[in-house]
Amino acid sequence: MNGLVVAVVGLLLCFYGIRSVHLGILAIGFGLGWMIADLFNATFWWLLLVALIGAVSSWVVTSLIFRFASYFIGGLTGAMIGTKLAVVLQPGDKNWALSMIVALAVCVAGAFLAEKFRARALLWLTSIGGASMILSGVARMDDSLEFLRSPEAGWQQITSTLAWVGLSVLGWIVQRHLFAEKLGIEHLAGDGEGDSPDMRQRNGGWPAG
């Protein structure tokens, strides 16, 4: 049950993240809260509580400062990816200070990329962030898959990283084809006189909410 919740949210973010800004923000905030709480080996109910607080807080803050939404969304997703990256790069016991530094660095990078590349950056960020959530959720469903969440050095670290990369690429491919029109990819969205206007220009580069 505990793994299923985060895996489902991860699937939503990885394969459907750019469909709606509001839906994406909720999923990103949920995932970030979950990942941070998971660093401290919290119980399921604490994980769920922190994740829900993260989801609601992210949506409220982004709604209040929508002018800077691109920075905020990119930063949130970057922090989630950075938290997962810190876990993968640190087999065994975690150095919390280093984990926070990695998360902050990727957070800043995500904010910059999101502001500069808008929907294209969101496509990558949601795919990578969603994939990390899927792996964390699946790992909690079976003890034999725990290495997907917190790998040890060696084959576990390599397998976990490859699974993360593979899922991220798959999510990117699926979203790129499903939402080609929102991304302004003409050769995938289809050309013709009846085509709708480029939604990127009508929403500052982000998919419609």
Side-chain angles (χ1 to χ4, degrees), residues 66-206:
F66 197 79
R67 181 180 176 184
F68 305 101
S70 55
Y71 284 109
F72 193 69
I73 295 170
L76 279 177
T77 318
M80 181 171 60
I81 295 170
T83 303
K84 176 64 176 178
L85 189 61
V87 172
V88 171
L89 295 178
Q90 297 181 89
D93 294 334
K94 307 296 183 293
N95 183 315
W96 305 116
L98 179 59
S99 297
M100 292 301 103
I101 291 173
V102 172
L104 180 60
V106 184
C107 170
V108 173
F112 171 78
L113 291 172
E115 172 61 21
K116 185 173 180 61
F117 299 106
R118 302 289 174 136
R120 298 300 181 92
L122 184 61
L123 173 62
W124 274 111
L125 290 169
T126 54
S127 299
I128 298 171
S132 68
M133 292 177 64
I134 293 171
L135 293 179
S136 294
V138 170
R140 287 180 169 273
M141 295 180 187
D142 192 315
D143 291 341
S144 64
L145 298 174
E146 175 64 20
F147 70 91
L148 292 175
R149 182 176 72 92
S150 184
E152 298 292 336
W155 71 268
Q156 291 188 354
Q157 199 172 18
I158 294 173
T159 303
S160 177
T161 302
L162 290 177
W164 189 17
V165 171
L167 266 177
S168 300
V169 172
L170 181 60
W172 179 84
I173 292 172
V174 170
Q175 290 199 74
R176 188 170 183 268
H177 281 78
L178 285 179
F179 310 116
E181 183 177 338
K182 290 181 176 294
L183 293 164
I185 306 173
E186 287 78 10
H187 72 281
L188 291 177
D191 299 316
E193 296 181 357
D195 286 349
S196 58
D198 188 344
M199 294 303 295
R200 295 173 300 166
Q201 303 306 320
R202 296 179 58 183
N203 198 35
W206 291 101

